[in-house]
Amino acid sequence: MLEAILPNIGVDEDEATDTAGNLALSQVDVESKDGLAHMGWLLNRDTNAVDIHLPINEFAATHLAILASTGSGKSYTAGVLMEEMMMPDSRASLLVFDPHGEYDSLGEMRGSETFSGDGYQPEIEYFSPENLRIRISELSVGDVMSILDNPSDRMQERLDGGWRAMQRRESRTWGIDELLREMRNQYGEDDSSVGALEWRLRRSIQRNDLFTTDANVPLDDLVSPGRCTVLQMDTLDSRDQQMIATVLLRRLYQACLAAVRNRGDDPNYDGEVIEHPLFSLFEEGHRFAPAAGDAPSLGIMRTITSEGRKFGFGIGIISQRPSKIDPDVLSQCGTQVTMQIKNPEDQKAIRTSVEAAGEEVLRELPGLTPGQAVVSGDAMNTPVLIQVRERHTEHGADSIPATSQWRKAHEKRSQTPTKSESADMGGGESSGTEDLL
Ligand SMILES: Nc1ncnc2c1ncn2[C@@H]1O[C@H](COP(=O)(O)OP(=O)(O)OP(=O)(O)O)[C@@H](O)[C@H]1O
Ligand SMILES: [Mg+2]
């Protein structure tokens, strides 16, 4: 079955050689591999017979989707691409939203010869939720509405008035107390809607460790050329993950926009400026840009995928449920790496949003094994079926082999006497009964 795809999609080795360097297919002996990510090789050729490179500039500008069922190799492939982007030739500025702690092993790149050259070494930084707290004044009124559970129309009106007044203030370190004072000034001391809001605001924002009145992490600490920053979000629930993504992405987008508009030279501009392109990768992409529900992050994800190209802000969406990703966001991803997909709903989502996915590509998807992928999209003249290369760094999310782990744990337990056994042998604490006898 796998053999059938190459003739169908019309790839041959001559074409691969001819297009080396500027299109995705290239032989391993291309003269310069600058800006090319070595992903693997054509599947039904010998290992490395026809190497496949993906132009980083292309997918970093027009976005990327890595889609497959669980266990098919999405995170592994994302790891391969990140390794390539952090090589001395590219020195990318990467930001990874990692809801499962799957990218801890990327730290192996630090000091590794494979990733060093010309005095360059990649920096790999990890940020835990304590470093990612959100400054309250950075929330939009829409964010606050989505945090509070179903505020009434009157409450929304009060909040809108109060929030807008606070945002006009010069100070950005205000909190819920100041906001409540402002709303009481505007609507009266005894306004019942402000009273009802007070309880909700204190419970959902003031007493939630995620929010702070202090300054938040400077963007320069988060993103920089030659730095891969992993946001470790595995201890947060999905709503908090979405909220961090919303506020961070908005700040990053504004800062990229400011650079393009030369705001950095404007003495009246006191916002942040990011002068280099960014690429941000989202594990569980459907969580940040869902097809259904009211995720606060969806708006900014749509904005970046439709406008980010002009501002040097690229996004990579990884998901095991393509049918649960917002179709606008998915269809803006110009390069697709699709691996094994069996679920008919997800196949349908790929058919409708991935332009290059012809019937012959879709037919192959259920039969792929882990590490095999169809690469398609703007960067490719034709979809290709590839074997993704091995990682240089260890993969951080290998499946846990249940049977061997059970056996090991059982053997260990059999060798360690239980509390009651050890008590029987006289090794346990006195039960108290002994004293009575
Ligand atoms: N290119 C590859 N070469 C060798 N092994 C691979 C490759 N791709 C995937 N694998 C194997 O497949 C396993 C699953 O890969 P991975 O963790 O990337 O899956 P996933 O699609 O991210 O799954 P999940 O949706 O559960 O996160 C890996 O632990 C690894 O052993
Ligand atoms: Mg994964």
Side-chain angles (χ1 to χ4, degrees), residues 134-198:
I134 299 169
R135 182 153 70 175
I136 292 173
S137 60
E138 221 92 51
L139 294 168
S140 72
V141 70
D143 298 336
V144 185
M145 306 273 189
S146 79
I147 295 168
L148 305 182
D149 230 5
N150 273 328
S152 68
D153 288 350
R154 264 164 64 93
M155 282 191 241
Q156 292 189 27
E157 194 199 316
R158 306 298 193 246
L159 189 63
D160 198 49
W163 205 270
R164 280 176 202 283
M166 296 309 292
Q167 281 179 325
R168 282 194 294 271
R169 292 192 183 181
E170 212 163 285
S171 158
R172 295 194 190 148
T173 54
W174 49 268
I176 298 304
D177 287 334
E178 290 85 351
L179 171 70
L180 287 166
R181 219 170 295 136
E182 171 62 39
M183 286 194 290
R184 292 208 158 98
N185 274 343
Q186 283 189 36
Y187 302 104
E189 279 300 319
D190 302 322
D191 186 89
S192 60
S193 300
V194 174
L197 269 174
E198 172 170 4

Side-chain angles (χ1 to χ4, degrees), residues 112-413:
S112 150
E113 257 179 46
T114 315
F115 297 94
S116 310
D118 295 337
Y120 161 83
Q121 277 199 6
E123 295 168 44
I124 315 296
E125 303 289 341
Y126 292 93
F127 276 73
S128 59
E130 295 82 65
N131 310 116
L132 293 171
R133 299 179 74 197
I134 299 169
R135 182 153 70 175
I136 292 173
S137 60
E138 221 92 51
L139 294 168
S140 72
V141 70
D143 298 336
V144 185
M145 306 273 189
S146 79
I147 295 168
L148 305 182
D149 230 5
N150 273 328
S152 68
D153 288 350
R154 264 164 64 93
M155 282 191 241
Q156 292 189 27
E157 194 199 316
R158 306 298 193 246
L159 189 63
D160 198 49
W163 205 270
R164 280 176 202 283
M166 296 309 292
Q167 281 179 325
R168 282 194 294 271
R169 292 192 183 181
E170 212 163 285
S171 158
R172 295 194 190 148
T173 54
W174 49 268
I176 298 304
D177 287 334
E178 290 85 351
L179 171 70
L180 287 166
R181 219 170 295 136
E182 171 62 39
M183 286 194 290
R184 292 208 158 98
N185 274 343
Q186 283 189 36
Y187 302 104
E189 279 300 319
D190 302 322
D191 186 89
S192 60
S193 300
V194 174
L197 269 174
E198 172 170 4
W199 180 76
R200 287 161 186 250
L201 287 164
R202 291 201 194 283
R203 189 196 52 177
S204 305
I205 298 183
Q206 198 172 37
R207 286 189 221 118
N208 183 339
D209 283 347
L210 189 65
F211 302 103
T212 167
T213 53
D214 299 335
N216 38 25
V217 59
L219 294 183
D220 283 347
D221 288 359
L222 267 185
V223 292
S224 177
R227 183 181 302 162
C228 170
T229 300
V230 179
L231 308 182
Q232 296 171 310
M233 304 172 109
D234 44 331
T235 55
L236 298 174
D237 66 25
S238 36
R239 198 63 174 181
D240 287 353
Q241 293 174 1
Q242 288 168 346
M243 204 41 83
I244 289 181
T246 308
V247 173
L248 255 186
L249 289 176
R250 215 159 40 210
R251 285 175 64 201
L252 290 164
Y253 185 69
Q254 290 298 337
C256 291
L257 207 71
V260 172
R261 296 190 176 151
N262 293 322
R263 303 286 308 271
D265 303 332
D266 178 352
N268 297 319
Y269 180 72
D270 65 348
E272 295 166 294
V273 183
I274 296 177
E275 303 273 4
H276 61 266
L278 283 180
F279 188 72
S280 194
L281 205 60
F282 292 82
E283 273 284 352
E284 302 283 344
H286 52 275
R287 185 171 293 176
F288 300 97
D294 60 346
S297 46
L298 178 59
I300 186 68
M301 293 289 279
R302 279 189 179 154
T303 305
I304 296 173
T305 44
S306 64
E307 306 290 326
R309 186 182 59 78
K310 296 172 231 158
F311 308 109
F313 198 161
I315 272 184
I317 298 260
I318 303 172
S319 176
Q320 69 269 34
R321 294 310 313 271
S323 59
K324 295 201 184 299
I325 304 177
D326 176 64
D328 286 349
V329 168
L330 188 54
S331 61
Q332 290 289 348
C333 293
T335 303
Q336 306 88 30
V337 178
T338 319
M339 308 179 85
Q340 188 199 56
I341 292 191
K342 286 193 170 145
N343 182 308
E345 279 301 303
D346 293 324
Q347 290 186 2
K348 204 166 120 203
I350 290 189
R351 184 176 287 117
T352 49
S353 55
V354 178
E355 263 173 43
E359 284 305 316
E360 71 275 21
V361 169
L362 288 164
R363 257 200 313 275
E364 299 304 324
L365 297 182
L368 301 180
T369 58
Q372 298 179 342
V374 175
V375 187
S376 58
D378 298 347
M380 314 292 294
N381 46 356
T382 182
V384 281
L385 182 58
I386 70 163
Q387 170 63 48
V388 175
R389 72 157 171 80
E390 269 186 35
R391 292 263 301 260
H392 297 303
T393 54
E394 205 179 309
H395 180 44
D398 271 334
S399 319
I400 295 174
T403 50
S404 66
Q405 297 279 322
W406 281 329
R407 213 171 45 233
K408 225 193 294 171
H410 183 261
E411 278 162 12
K412 194 170 159 204
R413 209 190 60 184

